[in-house]
Amino acid sequence: MIELAAIRRYIATDESAAMDVWSRASRIAHPFICGEGEGERARKMREVYLVHAENWVAAGAAPNGPVVALLGLLDAEIGGLFVAPEAQGKGVGRQLVAHAAALRGPLTLDVYEKNVEARHFYARMDFVEESRRVDDEYDEVILKLARPAPKDQA
């Protein structure tokens, strides 16, 4: 696990670092989406999701540690979880999901079927498939996953 200084609410001064994490992580997670991590998708991320979601960042433990991950919540739905490539596999995503569960209890999220790494991660975090649909914009299958509240919250 990466030692984190904090999981804290996103603030406007995090925008550049959060956008960098989102862009790099998205390109790896969604190579099947043309223009992922840039252009119109970046505009939507900056102008819609970073403004309207309840966003949290994870920062490294070094003094003024850099933002290494971003989690967006829409009520009890994880609207996005993005971990910098160099921080992936080190427990950061797990810590952010645990934080979201502590705030909201049961959680849901959407994930592209082709995003196999994320699907394996979410399965390890006790998410199960509830449904699937085709994303009209990209003609890709999206899975709706759900996870019950942690046992200590049930």
Side-chain angles (χ1 to χ4, degrees), residues 7-10 45 48-57 69-82 93 95-110 122 127 145 147 153:
I7 291 175
R8 60 173 174 74
R9 277 202 186 257
Y10 167 90
M45 183 67 179
V48 178
Y49 302 115
L50 288 179
V51 174
H52 297 293
E54 177 184 328
N55 293 296
W56 296 84
V57 296
L70 172 69
L71 171 94
L73 285 173
L74 305 162
D75 295 318
E77 178 180 359
I78 295 176
L81 173 59
F82 304 96
Q95 291 172 332
L96 280 166
V97 170
H99 179 74
L103 292 172
R104 298 293 190 272
L107 298 168
T108 63
L109 60 89
D110 288 347
Y122 291 124
F127 283 85
L145 306 181
R147 174 187 160 167
Q153 285 185 346

Side-chain angles (χ1 to χ4, degrees), residues 99-127:
H99 179 74
L103 292 172
R104 298 293 190 272
L107 298 168
T108 63
L109 60 89
D110 288 347
V111 64
Y112 285 107
E113 182 178 46
K114 288 183 181 175
N115 189 348
V116 176
E117 291 289 326
R119 288 176 46 218
H120 290 303
F121 167 77
Y122 291 124
R124 289 190 306 273
M125 297 296 300
D126 299 323
F127 283 85

Side-chain angles (χ1 to χ4, degrees), residues 23-68:
S23 178
R24 292 185 300 127
S26 292
R27 284 189 195 117
I28 291 169
H30 309 140
F32 47 87
I33 299 205
C34 183
E36 181 60 284
E38 59 189 26
E40 179 62 14
R41 289 185 57 91
R43 184 196 67 75
K44 282 183 184 176
M45 183 67 179
R46 184 176 285 109
E47 295 176 8
V48 178
Y49 302 115
L50 288 179
V51 174
H52 297 293
E54 177 184 328
N55 293 296
W56 296 84
V57 296
N64 300 315
V67 169
V68 296

